[in-house]
């Protein structure tokens, strides 16, 4: 029964959006795969090889752009900008609204007048944010996995799983930060806005830092570096890159519960 | 009767601002207790403290014998609550919302009773909340508070947005719950309704309780109004503060006296004159409320 608890009810709220995301991501993947299987990728690579290195790094990240293969194109385009935007949008939106939105629209009072502790409420909301983010990451993996086979293109499955898993971990990290901001302020738009802005700053740091030698080390402060810095689509899993995501998720999980427990709900 | 709600020296401060200041009162089992006061007086703060949404700065609250901070989950399992600003989820129908709430209260079997209450209130449970008027949304709020048959009801401005007919249905529902021995704590600024329903009333002003008593006692404490027609010409100056007269007005032959406190001296003085007509008017809650508010004007 989808309305039997807060976790399931939050997923029930997501059901329409989930279908739109599923169709949207799949259609985008279909379009990309159709175009890529119809054109000569080497020609693209020749053009990009003539670009200044800094510009190529800014667009494609530290590892630059490899457009000589479909997986290179996916790495440079889909998994550098579009997929992270989608995953972070869902995670930050879900996280920022999880407690703060209920507080803003005043529905939280009634929910918490039932025998449900604040801890249970926020943990259920965190789990639902995690599941939504995982869903978007899995849809990405499935779309490119299925369409790779359908278009007889070589996309290394281990790499695809690895980058989608990193995508999921990065998503829940930003989602948890948004949840924490929501517990601080009780203001949903602030929580979503700050979470999104942090993601944007993180993206810019990861892409700009390698261009300037003196800033190069600042990339380690960006979650985008741990997401794609090891080039997981090509090289597969790098478990040590999971550590910052897990640490941030855990820290903000604890802080969110602590903050939500101790705050006066106005 | 045992005390079901005990508020003891409750203070809630936000920085230097005291939302409620050292308030105490008790509500007995089976009683309907009204907390009245204007917006910002501290009514909602008191109610929200009972449910542990707000933590007291000082003082204690016990509901159903449970401490509001330590045993708040036990309190939540025996109460029905309607907040001052009730909102439901726009994407849910009334039935989906009530089903969800009854599951959260571990009483899914009560959905049937919710449906029968909806019929009583003439509410279509198959409409989504976004299609409902404010009054109809309020009905959902009332139903969710009552339908799991709680021992204690805490209701903040419950009839806000209801039309007069449905207010009457609501009053009947409240009285039915009282008959069952349930305790009801209600905050309202619809004073005639409070007067009709409540056994006991507390008046709150600037976070302080300025009066608390049964309706009958409050009436006796408040200003009494007398309409008198004298046979002879009578000078207003004869009736002063010494006999409790606060205010005199004249309309034609009719004198209207507002008398505070003990009325015996006043009646003695009146009887010195020949009286054609004497009418005592019982103050309603609105007058009592205003009388206490004026009395405490300026006190913060």
């Amino acid at each position: 029964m989808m309305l039997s608890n807060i976790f399931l009810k939050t997923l029930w709220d997501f059901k329409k959006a989930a279908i739109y995301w599923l169709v949207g991501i799949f259609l985008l993947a279909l379009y990309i795969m159709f175009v890529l299987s119809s054109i000569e990728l080497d020609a693209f690579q020749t053009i990009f090889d003539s670009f200044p290195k800094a510009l190529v790094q800014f667009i494609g990240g530290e590892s630059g752009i490899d457009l000589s293969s479909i997986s290179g194109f996916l790495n440079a385009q889909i998994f550098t900008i579009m997929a992270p935007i989608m995953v972070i949008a869902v995670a930050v939106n879900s996280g920022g609204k999880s407690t703060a939105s209920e507080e803003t629209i005043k529905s939280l009072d009634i929910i918490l007048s039932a025998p449900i502790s604040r801890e249970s409420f926020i943990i259920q909301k965190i789990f639902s944010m995690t599941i939504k983010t995982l869903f978007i990451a899995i849809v990405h993996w499935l779309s490119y996995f299925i369409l790779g086979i359908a278009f007889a293109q070589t996309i290394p499955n281990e790499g695809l799983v690895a980058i989608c898993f990193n995508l999921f971990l990065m998503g829940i990290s930003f989602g948890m930060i948004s949840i924490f901001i929501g517990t601080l302020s009780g203001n949903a738009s602030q929580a979503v806005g700050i979470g999104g802005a942090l993601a944007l700053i993180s993206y810019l740091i990861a892409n700009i830092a390698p261009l300037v030698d003196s800033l190069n080390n600042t990339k380690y402060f960006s979650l985008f570096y741990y997401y794609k810095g090891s080039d997981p689509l090509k090289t597969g899993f790098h478990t040590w890159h999971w550590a910052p995501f897990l640490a941030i998720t855990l820290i903000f999980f604890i802080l969110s519960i602590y903050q939500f427990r101790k705050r006066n709900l106005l | 009767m045992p005390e079901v709600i005990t508020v003891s020296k409750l203070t809630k401060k936000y920085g230097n601002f005291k939302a409620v200041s050292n308030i105490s009162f008790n509500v007995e089992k089976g009683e309907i207790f009204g907390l009245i006061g204007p917006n910002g007086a501290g009514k909602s703060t008191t109610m929200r403290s009972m449910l542990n949404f707000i933590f007291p700065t000082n003082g204690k609250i016990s509901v159903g014998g449970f401490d509001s901070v330590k045993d708040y989950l036990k309190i939540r399992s025996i109460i029905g609550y309607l907040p001052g600003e009730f909102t439901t989820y726009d994407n849910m129908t009334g039935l989906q919302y009530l089903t969800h709430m009854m599951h959260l209260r571990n009483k899914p079997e009560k959905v049937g009773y919710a449906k029968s209450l909806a019929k009583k209130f003439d509410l279509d449970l198959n409409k989504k909340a976004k299609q409902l008027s404010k009054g109809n949304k309020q009905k959902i709020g009332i139903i969710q508070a009552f339908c799991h048959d709680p021992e204690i009801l805490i209701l903040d401005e419950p009839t806000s947005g209801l039309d007069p007919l449905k207010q009457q249905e609501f009053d009947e529902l409240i009285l039915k719950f009282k008959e069952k021995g349930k305790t009801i704590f209600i905050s309202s600024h619809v004073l005639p309704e409070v007067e009709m329903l409540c056994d006991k009333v507390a008046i709150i002003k600037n976070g302080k309780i300025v009066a608390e008593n049964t309706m009958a006692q409050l009436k006796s404490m408040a200003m009494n109004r007398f309409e008198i027609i004298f046979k002879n010409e009578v000078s207003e100056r004869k009736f002063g503060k010494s006999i409790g007269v606060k205010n005199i007005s004249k309309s034609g032959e009719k004198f209207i006296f507002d008398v505070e406190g003990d009325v015996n001296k006043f009646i003695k003085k009146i009887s010195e004159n020949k009286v054609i007509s004497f009418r005592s008017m019982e103050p309603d809650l609105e007058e009592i409320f205003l009388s206490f508010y004026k009395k405490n004007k300026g006190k913060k």
Side-chain angles (χ1 to χ4, degrees):
Chain A
M1 181 65 189
M2 287 303 280
L3 298 173
S4 59
N5 59 43
I6 291 156
F7 168 68
L8 290 175
K9 190 261 172 191
T10 313
L11 293 183
W12 181 86
D13 288 336
F14 186 63
K15 63 185 187 306
K16 267 190 192 166
I19 294 168
Y20 296 145
W21 280 112
L22 177 72
V23 172
I25 293 168
F26 187 80
L27 286 179
L28 175 71
L30 182 67
Y31 179 73
I32 297 280
M33 294 302 285
F34 175 75
V35 170
L36 293 183
S37 58
S38 318
I39 58 170
E40 195 65 56
L41 286 170
D42 285 343
F44 264 115
Q45 188 59 40
T46 313
I47 296 167
F48 268 90
D49 284 346
S50 65
F51 284 8
K53 192 187 167 202
L55 179 63
V56 172
Q57 279 191 336
F58 183 70
I59 298 168
E62 195 178 9
S63 52
I65 296 174
D66 167 22
L67 295 181
S68 60
S69 65
I70 283 203
S71 59
F73 190 92
L74 293 180
N75 203 21
Q77 292 301 302
I78 300 300
F79 288 104
T80 296
I81 303 172
M82 299 187 84
I85 285 176
M86 289 188 257
V87 167
I88 290 168
V90 169
V92 164
N93 191 50
S94 169
K97 287 183 174 172
S98 58
T99 62
S101 176
E102 302 260 15
E103 245 185 295
T104 308
I105 66 163
K106 304 275 179 194
S107 52
L108 186 62
D109 278 18
I110 290 284
I111 301 294
L112 291 185
S113 73
I116 292 164
S117 66
R118 293 188 189 195
E119 292 87 335
S120 166
F121 175 83
I122 193 168
I123 287 170
Q124 291 189 59
K125 287 286 189 178
I126 289 169
F127 279 144
S128 61
M129 180 277 288
T130 306
I131 296 296
K132 288 180 200 175
T133 311
L134 182 63
F135 172 79
I136 301 294
I138 287 176
V139 170
H140 271 98
W141 166 68
L142 264 180
S143 300
Y144 291 101
F145 177 71
I146 293 168
L147 292 169
I149 295 169
F151 283 89
Q153 297 293 338
T154 314
I155 304 170
N157 190 43
E158 192 196 332
L160 194 57
V161 172
I163 199 160
C164 287
F165 187 66
N166 279 9
L167 203 54
F168 160 67
L169 290 179
M170 182 168 69
I172 59 166
S173 303
F174 284 115
M176 265 321 308
I177 293 171
S178 293
I179 287 178
F180 172 66
I181 295 162
T183 61
L184 279 179
S185 65
N187 182 325
S189 27
Q190 204 176 68
V192 173
I194 294 176
L198 286 174
L200 180 66
I201 292 166
S202 175
Y203 171 81
L204 290 175
I205 290 174
N207 285 276
I208 289 173
L211 306 180
V212 185
D213 282 344
S214 58
L215 292 177
N216 195 30
N217 285 339
T218 60
K219 70 187 179 193
Y220 298 114
F221 294 102
S222 164
L223 286 180
F224 268 81
Y225 170 76
Y226 299 98
Y227 157 62
K228 214 171 149 276
S230 60
D231 209 354
L233 190 58
K234 257 190 198 166
T235 59
F237 290 102
H238 292 265
T239 48
W240 67 271
H241 269 207
W242 299 348
F245 297 127
L246 297 175
I248 281 180
T249 303
L250 184 66
I251 288 166
F252 283 98
F253 176 83
I254 293 166
L255 286 177
S256 299
I257 292 173
Y258 172 76
Q259 177 61 23
F260 193 58
R261 250 174 76 170
K262 79 175 179 80
R263 197 162 68 82
N264 287 308
L265 301 173
L266 300 173
Chain B
M1 283 285 194
E3 281 156 1
V4 172
I5 300 174
T6 309
V7 174
S8 174
K9 296 179 179 172
L10 174 71
T11 296
K12 178 63 196 174
K13 278 166 97 176
Y14 297 103
N16 289 327
F17 172 71
K18 279 185 182 171
V20 290
S21 176
N22 201 30
I23 64 168
S24 300
F25 58 84
N26 300 314
V27 184
E28 290 176 359
K29 186 171 167 51
E31 198 169 57
I32 305 181
F33 187 101
L35 185 64
I36 58 174
N39 292 338
K43 302 187 301 285
S44 296
T45 302
T46 307
M47 289 183 149
R48 296 171 66 76
S49 302
M50 287 177 183
L51 292 158
N52 201 37
F53 297 156
I54 293 175
F55 306 117
T57 310
N58 276 310
K60 275 197 157 198
I61 301 176
S62 154
V63 179
F66 302 115
D67 183 88
S68 69
V69 176
K70 286 180 202 155
D71 299 319
Y72 69 96
L73 282 179
K74 287 177 184 162
I75 292 175
R76 290 175 187 180
S77 64
I78 56 165
I79 58 115
Y81 173 63
L82 178 66
E85 289 175 71
F86 172 75
T87 40
T88 169
Y89 300 109
D90 279 350
N91 63 338
M92 288 178 119
T93 65
L95 185 60
Q96 284 168 337
Y97 181 75
L98 291 167
T99 305
H100 179 51
M101 282 312 299
M102 288 310 103
H103 272 99
L104 296 185
R105 292 199 171 278
N106 301 317
K107 291 188 176 172
E109 72 281 2
K110 295 288 183 186
V111 175
Y113 182 47
K115 285 180 185 170
S116 69
L117 282 177
K119 254 187 195 163
K120 197 177 163 66
F121 278 101
D122 205 13
L123 173 69
D124 182 356
L125 285 180
N126 295 315
K127 275 189 177 170
K128 287 199 171 174
K130 62 184 166 195
Q131 298 170 294
L132 297 176
S133 65
K134 185 182 185 294
N136 280 332
K137 283 182 188 169
Q138 187 72 1
K139 289 176 193 172
I140 297 180
I142 291 170
I143 293 168
Q144 66 76 32
F146 280 81
C147 72
H148 58 287
D149 202 22
E151 281 310 306
I152 302 165
L153 277 157
I154 299 175
L155 310 170
D156 195 354
E157 302 288 352
T159 53
S160 155
L162 288 190
D163 62 58
L165 278 176
K166 297 305 159 204
Q167 280 189 23
Q168 209 177 335
E169 296 275 7
F170 170 79
D171 294 345
E172 281 169 22
L173 189 61
I174 286 266
L175 294 172
K176 209 168 151 188
F177 261 64
K178 180 184 159 64
E179 273 171 27
K180 287 192 211 171
K182 316 274 186 185
T183 309
I184 299 144
F185 186 87
I186 188 166
S187 114
S188 179
H189 58 249
V190 185
L191 299 182
E193 185 177 69
V194 174
E195 184 173 6
M196 193 194 85
L197 293 173
C198 295
D199 304 301
K200 226 196 241 176
V201 171
I203 298 174
I204 188 165
K205 183 190 180 189
N206 294 331
K208 287 179 181 164
I209 301 280
V210 292
E212 186 221 331
N213 228 317
T214 59
M215 280 306 301
Q217 278 170 317
L218 275 181
K219 281 181 179 179
S220 72
M221 285 159 68
M223 204 88 76
N224 289 283
R225 179 165 285 185
F226 298 97
E227 273 185 19
I228 302 168
I229 301 174
F230 295 101
K231 195 175 179 186
N232 308 320
E233 192 80 3
V234 169
S235 162
E236 290 175 24
R237 269 177 275 165
K238 287 175 78 178
F239 308 99
K241 277 186 185 166
S242 59
I243 54 167
V245 175
K246 278 271 163 190
N247 188 39
I248 308 172
S249 55
K250 202 177 172 193
S251 156
E253 293 183 309
K254 191 165 57 183
F255 282 85
I256 298 165
F257 295 92
D258 288 330
V259 182
E260 194 179 48
D262 184 10
V263 294
N264 285 310
K265 279 184 191 170
F266 171 73
I267 290 170
K268 237 182 209 173
K269 189 78 183 166
I270 292 292
S271 64
E272 290 172 5
N273 302 278
K274 286 201 171 170
V275 173
I276 294 175
S277 158
F278 181 95
R279 203 170 139 224
S280 165
M281 296 185 314
E282 202 179 44
D284 61 16
L285 185 59
E286 196 160 336
E287 283 166 324
I288 297 171
F289 177 76
L290 289 173
S291 137
F292 279 107
Y293 249 71
K294 281 177 188 162
K295 212 185 280 182
N296 290 277
K297 205 174 177 181
K299 281 186 189 172
K300 290 206 173 176

